[in-house]
């Protein structure tokens, strides 16, 4: 038997490795996800269509995708800065700061949500200084963005850090000796090197933000049409025993996320092209 | 464009990388900084380029003080040992990099940039590789691209840090001759760092030999080779044998002989008083035959180099005893 994608290779173990990959992807990702689609079609199409296009649900898509995109972009900027500082500078407490970055991974997200909420309410530690400026964070879409940034930041930092550490200082020196100023060195030398890693970090942070539930529901306040995220609506539907409705929303979200991630990956592959050639 | 380095000092913590180094390089001159690793040669080169800041001392380029100007302002071409090519850019874009950076007022037109890149790629004989990416090139090709990139901005000074260090022997020889010819065409001041004495002696107009953060001798290749200032220089410039003659003042001085300056005679013809040694190994391939000898009186190893003709005459084989007479002994105070 010969399949078109098997090339002779001196690296043994293609078939076992490939089989396991497919097996686990099936068991853990594909089968549960197909169950979502199968479950949702137990109802009539018209009912499903009504559910996924109801104004409340559409508003939640807007918030979920919008806030996740914004949070992803903030994570990219701030995460890059954090990674830069951790790689380029020596300072006391660096190891501590480095460990701190991972904390959002380890923290139960509900804890993060409660902590953020109590900080940002109008009489919270931070909220009380923001309120006079007319900035409300807790119970607004802005609060959702804050929570999602908190969750997404480590992904960007951890994606960019190793790439930045690997980037040769000689490249920057070469650019400087050719007449580049600091900004040109960054824009023309450093940025192109870390761009694929930034995109990876963005995709991870974005995907994580889309599915985030625990930290958001506390700070969002869950006002219909305003601060309800899509995962919350899914849970609400489940609590009302509307399984078909819940899975239908989930299917819409899944499809949209998948297409977005596919697009980001394609973009990343394009920016990485120069590294894989030759 | 001349380079004047005066009284440069640089330390890293307790380590003194450069101790009061002064050096003047004239326009059109190709100077080699030669020394073992840790001698401070690369630090000196980086200080000339403005990539490193000296603790004290001054640098003038073309008799204008440049001590406080940045790498960008100095307009030097710098070639790195590991090429430091931008791997996200094609070969042509790498070469064009320095030109495209310029502010609009001084930037050549797109057409001029392309023309300049084409000429430089011609010069490095890689005009057919313009569209490739650096990781599709061999080491020698990459180093030539790095050189073209440095030359594109028409630097006033060309600095090369172990430019051929990462290449294999044959490519290295080829490239250093090519560099010499290129330097003669450009007529700018060039400095290159190397730890390979053969490379320095073959290519450079003058050689600065460095050790422990100091220039220990400076001169033309012939000067430093024929009149080494110290035992260190003598040893660094070629293979040597420590040669103890008769008891003469071994406490206060050391004597050295180069392998090709040892006369080998058959035991029977050996003059009275010559040193006897046993042949331990013979390397007969190559332009000269190298012998590994063991002195019978002191038990020290000696290395001798004789011509192929002489080797045939002597009909040596391993285990033979021969007479060894140095033709030229150098004595240095300890």
């Amino acid at each position: 038997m010969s399949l078109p994608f098997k090339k002779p290779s001196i690296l043994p173990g293609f078939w076992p490795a490939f089989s396991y990959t497919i097996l686990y992807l099936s068991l853990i990702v594909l089968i549960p996800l197909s169950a979502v689609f199968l479950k949702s079609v137990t109802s009539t199409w018209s009912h499903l269509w009504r559910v996924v296009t109801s104004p409340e649900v559409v508003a939640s898509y807007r918030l979920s995708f919008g806030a996740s995109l914004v949070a992803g972009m903030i994570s990219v900027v701030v995460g890059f800065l954090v990674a830069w500082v951790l790689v380029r500078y020596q300072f006391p407490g660096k190891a501590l700061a480095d460990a701190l970055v991972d904390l959002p991974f380890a923290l139960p997200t509900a804890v993060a949500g409660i902590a953020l909420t109590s900080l940002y309410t109008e009489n919270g530690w931070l909220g009380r200084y923001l309120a006079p400026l007319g900035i409300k964070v807790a119970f607004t879409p802005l609060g959702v963005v804050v929570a999602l940034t908190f969750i997404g930041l480590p992904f960007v930092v951890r994606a960019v850090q190793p790439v930045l550490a690997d980037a040769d200082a000689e490249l920057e020196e070469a650019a400087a000796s050719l007449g580049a100023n600091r900004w040109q060195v960054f824009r023309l030398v450093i940025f192109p090197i870390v761009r694929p890693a930034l995109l990876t970090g963005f995709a991870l942070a974005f995907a994580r933000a889309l599915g985030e539930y625990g930290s958001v529901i506390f700070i969002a306040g869950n006002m219909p049409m305003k601060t309800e995220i899509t995962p919350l609506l899914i849970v609400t539907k489940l609590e009302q025993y509307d399984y078909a409705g819940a899975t239908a929303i989930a299917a819409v979200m899944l499809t949209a996320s998948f297409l977005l991630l596919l697009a980001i990956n394609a973009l990343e592959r394009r920016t990485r092209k120069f590294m894989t050639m030759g | 464009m001349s380079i004047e380095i005066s009284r440069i000092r640089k330390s890293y913590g307790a380590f003194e990388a450069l101790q009061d180094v002064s050096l003047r390089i004239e326009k059109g001159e190709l100077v080699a900084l030669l020394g073992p690793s840790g001698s401070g040669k690369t630090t000196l080169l980086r200080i000339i380029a403005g990539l490193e800041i000296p603790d004290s001392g001054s640098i003038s380029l073309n008799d204008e003080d440049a001590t406080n100007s940045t790498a960008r302002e100095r307009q030097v071409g710098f070639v790195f040992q590991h090429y430091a090519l931008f791997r996200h850019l094609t070969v042509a874009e790498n070469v064009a990099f320095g030109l495209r950076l310029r502010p609009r007022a001084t930037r050549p037109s797109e057409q001029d940039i392309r023309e300049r890149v084409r000429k430089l790629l011609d010069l490095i004989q890689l005009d057919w590789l313009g569209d490739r990416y650096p990781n599709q090139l061999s080491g020698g090709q990459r180093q030539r691209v790095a050189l073209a990139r440095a030359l594109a901005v028409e630097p006033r000074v060309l600095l090369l840090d172990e430019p051929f260090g990462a290449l294999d022997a044959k490519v290295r020889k080829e490239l250093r001759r090519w560099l010499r010819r290129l330097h003669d065409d450009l007529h700018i001041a060039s400095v290159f760092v190397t730890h390979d004495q053969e490379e320095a002696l073959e290519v450079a107009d003058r050689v600065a030999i460095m050790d422990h953060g100091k220039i220990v001798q400076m001169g033309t290749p012939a000067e430093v080779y024929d009149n080494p200032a110290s035992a260190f220089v003598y040893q660094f410039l070629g293979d040597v044998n420590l040669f103890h003659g008769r008891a003469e003042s071994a406490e206060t001085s050391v004597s050295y002989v180069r392998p090709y300056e040892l006369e080998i005679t058959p035991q029977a013809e050996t003059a009275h008083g010559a040193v006897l040694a046993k042949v331990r190994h013979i390397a007969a391939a190559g332009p000269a035959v190298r012998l590994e000898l063991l002195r019978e009186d002191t038990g020290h190893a000696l290395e001798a180099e004789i011509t192929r003709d002489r080797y045939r005459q002597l009909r040596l084989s391993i285990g033979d005893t021969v007479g060894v007479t140095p033709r030229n002994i150098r004595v240095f105070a300890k």
Side-chain angles (χ1 to χ4, degrees):
Chain A
M1 183 183 76
S2 87
L3 286 179
F5 51 87
K6 167 81 164 117
K7 281 184 196 150
S9 161
I10 50 155
L11 282 177
F14 172 74
W15 280 116
F18 186 69
S19 314
Y20 273 116
T21 306
I22 293 298
L23 179 70
Y24 281 113
L25 269 180
S26 306
L27 283 178
I28 292 171
V29 182
L30 284 177
I31 294 175
L33 291 186
S34 6
V36 169
F37 286 92
L38 291 175
K39 186 74 193 170
S40 62
V41 296
T42 53
S43 182
T44 65
W45 284 107
S46 63
H47 170 69
L48 292 179
W49 185 249
R50 247 196 340 274
V51 171
V52 300
T53 56
S54 75
E56 195 183 351
V57 175
V58 171
S60 83
Y61 296 148
R62 210 174 296 135
L63 178 64
S64 266
F65 283 96
S68 298
L69 274 174
V70 174
M73 286 190 254
I74 296 175
S75 295
V76 162
V77 176
V78 181
F80 177 79
L81 263 175
V82 173
W84 178 267
V85 169
L86 287 177
V87 170
R88 288 306 175 94
Y89 302 108
Q90 296 301 326
F91 53 90
K94 180 173 170 174
L96 201 70
D98 198 38
L100 222 53
V101 169
D102 287 329
L103 215 54
F105 281 145
L107 210 61
T109 49
V111 176
I114 294 166
L116 287 173
T117 310
S118 59
L119 270 180
Y120 283 107
T121 49
E122 274 173 42
N123 44 18
W125 284 357
L126 289 172
R128 82 172 65 142
Y129 300 109
L130 293 172
L133 304 172
I135 304 171
K136 280 192 206 155
V137 180
F139 317 127
T140 65
L142 183 59
V144 177
V145 171
V146 169
L148 295 181
T149 307
F150 173 83
I151 294 299
L153 193 68
F155 290 100
V156 179
V157 178
R158 291 303 179 225
V160 172
Q161 213 176 358
V163 179
L164 214 49
D166 263 2
D168 223 326
E170 277 190 356
L171 290 176
E172 292 169 48
E173 290 173 352
S177 77
L178 290 168
N181 57 35
R182 283 310 292 169
W183 168 241
Q184 286 171 320
V185 169
F186 174 77
R187 192 165 54 91
L188 302 171
V189 178
I190 300 169
F191 183 66
I193 294 172
V194 296
R195 188 167 42 199
L198 280 175
L199 273 171
T200 305
F202 174 77
L204 288 170
F206 172 69
R208 179 76 174 78
L210 273 179
E212 178 57 21
Y213 178 74
S215 62
V216 182
I217 48 162
F218 291 101
I219 201 166
N222 309 327
M223 285 171 284
M225 304 296 294
K226 282 192 191 132
T227 58
E228 276 181 330
I229 52 166
T230 312
L232 176 82
L233 288 181
I234 297 172
V235 174
T236 315
K237 293 262 183 256
L238 286 176
E239 282 167 351
Q240 294 161 350
Y241 302 107
D242 183 3
Y243 294 128
T247 45
I249 301 174
V252 169
M253 211 176 168
L254 207 61
T255 312
S257 317
F258 185 67
L259 290 177
L260 276 170
L261 288 177
L262 214 59
I264 296 171
N265 278 348
L267 198 64
E268 192 200 317
R269 244 196 316 282
R270 249 199 22 206
T271 63
R272 227 188 260 277
K273 195 177 68 180
F274 61 87
M275 292 185 207
T276 49
M277 292 207 316
Chain B
M1 187 78 202
S2 61
I3 308 170
E4 173 100 48
I5 299 154
S6 127
R7 314 213 62 182
I8 292 285
R9 284 177 180 279
K10 175 79 184 174
S11 325
Y12 299 99
F15 175 68
E16 274 194 283
L18 292 174
Q19 307 176 28
D20 203 11
V21 171
S22 298
L23 177 64
R24 187 179 166 85
I25 296 155
E26 298 298 337
K27 184 180 177 188
E29 213 180 11
L30 178 57
V31 168
L33 300 179
L34 174 67
S37 51
S39 58
K41 55 194 193 305
T42 294
T43 307
L44 181 59
L45 193 78
R46 291 173 58 85
I47 285 176
I48 300 173
L51 297 174
E52 210 89 49
I53 299 163
D55 298 337
S56 66
S58 65
I59 306 256
S60 308
L61 297 175
N62 220 5
D63 297 317
E64 279 166 42
D65 184 62
T67 315
N68 295 314
S69 44
T70 61
R72 196 161 82 82
E73 292 158 349
R74 289 190 196 185
Q75 297 176 36
V76 296
F78 200 97
V79 176
F80 295 85
Q81 180 177 7
H82 298 290
Y83 331 124
L85 293 176
F86 306 122
R87 55 183 186 167
H88 60 285
L89 298 177
T90 61
V91 165
E93 282 308 306
N94 263 284
V95 176
F97 189 86
L99 297 172
R100 292 202 193 284
L101 286 176
R102 293 189 181 165
R104 203 173 296 270
T106 56
R107 192 193 310 151
S109 71
E110 181 57 37
Q111 207 175 352
D112 289 347
I113 291 180
R114 247 184 250 148
E115 182 58 23
R116 182 98 64 90
V117 169
R118 200 189 53 75
K119 274 191 186 145
L120 281 162
L121 290 180
D122 262 353
L123 181 73
I124 60 168
Q125 298 149 18
L126 292 178
D127 47 319
W128 45 288
L129 286 178
D131 297 329
R132 303 280 186 92
Y133 284 87
N135 61 3
Q136 297 171 299
L137 269 51
S138 72
Q141 291 170 336
R142 285 184 210 185
Q143 195 56 294
R144 279 187 278 164
V145 174
L147 204 73
R149 183 181 66 178
L151 293 176
V153 293
E154 290 171 339
R156 306 188 293 175
V157 169
L158 186 61
L159 306 173
L160 308 101
D161 183 11
E162 305 239 5
F164 315 126
L167 304 171
D168 59 68
K170 204 171 160 73
V171 178
R172 201 145 93 194
K173 259 193 183 149
E174 231 173 79
L175 271 190
R176 72 191 189 211
R177 287 187 189 143
W178 179 78
L179 172 71
R180 178 71 235 192
R181 286 197 302 273
L182 187 74
H183 169 86
D184 291 337
D185 291 344
L186 293 172
H187 207 64
I188 54 178
S190 306
V191 184
F192 77 103
V193 157
T194 180
H195 60 255
D196 180 347
Q197 88 290 8
E198 201 188 305
E199 191 169 292
L201 296 177
E202 182 183 316
V203 177
D205 294 318
R206 280 194 303 155
V207 182
I209 297 155
M210 298 190 64
D211 186 32
H212 289 107
K214 287 184 186 140
I215 293 180
V216 289
Q217 192 174 5
M218 172 94 198
T220 65
E223 276 165 20
V224 294
Y225 193 81
D226 294 337
N227 299 302
S230 68
F232 169 80
V233 174
Y234 184 76
Q235 280 189 58
F236 198 76
L237 290 182
D239 296 326
V240 292
N241 289 304
L242 196 58
F243 199 90
H244 299 293
R246 320 257 143 252
E248 83 248 359
S249 59
E251 279 87 45
T252 57
S253 65
V254 275
S255 318
Y256 294 100
V257 188
R258 298 230 186 261
Y260 58 83
E261 290 173 337
L262 284 177
E263 181 81 47
I264 305 295
T265 45
Q267 188 175 10
E269 296 167 25
T270 299
H272 178 72
V275 173
L276 289 179
K278 209 178 226 52
V279 179
R280 225 170 29 169
H281 183 75
I282 301 169
V289 177
R290 300 183 77 88
L291 307 175
E292 235 179 86
L293 309 166
L294 204 63
R295 273 177 74 159
E296 289 191 340
D297 52 351
T298 60
H300 286 140
L302 286 178
E303 205 176 303
E305 208 176 279
I306 56 175
T307 63
R308 300 190 73 90
D309 288 343
R310 181 75 183 139
Y311 173 64
R312 268 190 293 266
Q313 260 173 26
L314 289 168
R315 276 183 228 156
L316 289 178
S317 53
I318 291 171
D320 289 354
T321 300
V322 292
V324 180
T325 323
R327 277 190 297 252
N328 188 6
I329 295 191
R330 275 192 194 266
V331 182
F332 294 97
K334 256 186 186 168

